[in-house]
Amino acid sequence: MSGAAAAAVDGNATLTSDYVWRGSSQSDGDPAVQAGVKLSASNGWYASAWGSGVSFRPDNGARSEFDLVAGWSGAVTPDWSVDVNLTRYVYPSATVDLDWTELNGTVTWRQRAWLQVGVSDNALAGGHGGTYAQLGARLPLGEQWRVEGAVGHYWLDSAQADDYLHGQLSAIWKVHGPWELRLTAHDTDGAAKRLFPGNAGSRVEFAVQTAF
């Protein structure tokens, strides 16, 4: 974390056995390398960029994903904080148009529980609207361990696909300094399996992650 008093730069990096997003593998069950950087101003405004390797089925040429984010975050009371941002999902090498934009808002209570809502008129680049909501909780277990769980529901325009539900449960071990190991179990309902054949359902993800 560096920079002048008015701004800060933060980064993160992850090596994961499977890039799972909203219940579905984005790497076709294969490992992925991920990294991001965030520039934050003292007044709460920020911009970030995050990237990961991807692989979709059927193959559409996409090999990388970049999430470009601009938003504002900050505390509104001693217990409650808010994050509102616009996220652009970009897939540079795809042979079809997979890029799309989502407006996101997250309300967090004491860094222990959160509610996220995302809205797009082109959800998943499918040409139809969609609304995603996730309710999550974080439970510290001493200084080195914590448990995190979340349940998400995606309401998709019926012309594109059925709504679907997913859940995840993670155990995170703070190994040393900023380094952590994360083990996550994912599961989805049958609608997700029909929408993402072979990439939804039950799966386990293992990751090494760090922040700097």
Side-chain angles (χ1 to χ4, degrees):
M1 296 89 187
S2 61
V9 179
D10 301 273
N12 61 80
T14 301
L15 174 61
T16 181
S17 65
D18 189 357
Y19 170 23
V20 183
W21 182 79
R22 297 182 182 177
S24 171
S25 175
Q26 309 295 289
S27 57
D28 201 19
D30 292 332
V33 177
Q34 305 170 336
V37 63
K38 180 179 180 181
L39 176 64
S40 306
S42 58
N43 59 7
W45 291 99
Y46 69 89
S48 67
W50 179 90
S52 175
V54 298
S55 179
F56 297 117
R57 202 190 299 182
D59 188 6
N60 52 29
R63 296 294 179 265
S64 59
E65 171 191 333
F66 294 97
D67 299 353
L68 309 177
V69 183
W72 182 90
S73 65
V76 292
T77 74
D79 291 337
W80 295 89
S81 60
V82 172
D83 185 313
V84 179
N85 67 69
L86 194 66
T87 300
R88 179 69 173 173
Y89 303 94
V90 180
Y91 303 85
S93 63
T95 56
V96 295
D97 186 6
L98 296 180
D99 300 352
W100 62 291
T101 303
E102 185 176 55
L103 178 63
N104 281 283
T106 303
V107 178
T108 303
W109 177 74
R110 292 187 175 180
Q111 302 302 313
R112 296 291 183 89
W114 65 88
L115 173 63
Q116 174 198 357
V117 176
V119 179
S120 176
D121 61 359
N122 184 28
L124 308 177
H128 300 280
T131 301
Y132 176 77
Q134 183 185 101
L135 183 63
R138 178 182 297 111
L139 177 63
L141 302 173
E143 294 184 0
Q144 289 186 285
W145 289 89
R146 70 182 185 274
V147 175
E148 297 180 359
V151 176
H153 194 282
Y154 218 146
W155 290 271
L156 295 166
D157 189 299
S158 59
Q160 177 181 352
D162 294 332
D163 303 343
Y164 76 88
L165 183 71
H166 78 94
Q168 61 193 60
L169 182 64
S170 301
I172 299 101
W173 176 32
K174 188 177 179 65
V175 182
H176 178 72
W179 291 93
E180 297 181 332
L181 300 180
R182 171 171 51 85
L183 183 66
T184 305
H186 300 268
D187 202 3
T188 70
D189 63 5
K193 296 177 185 178
R194 292 189 294 271
L195 181 59
F196 310 111
N199 283 324
S202 300
R203 60 184 60 240
V204 175
E205 171 196 1
F206 177 75
V208 181
Q209 56 195 36
T210 187
F212 50 89

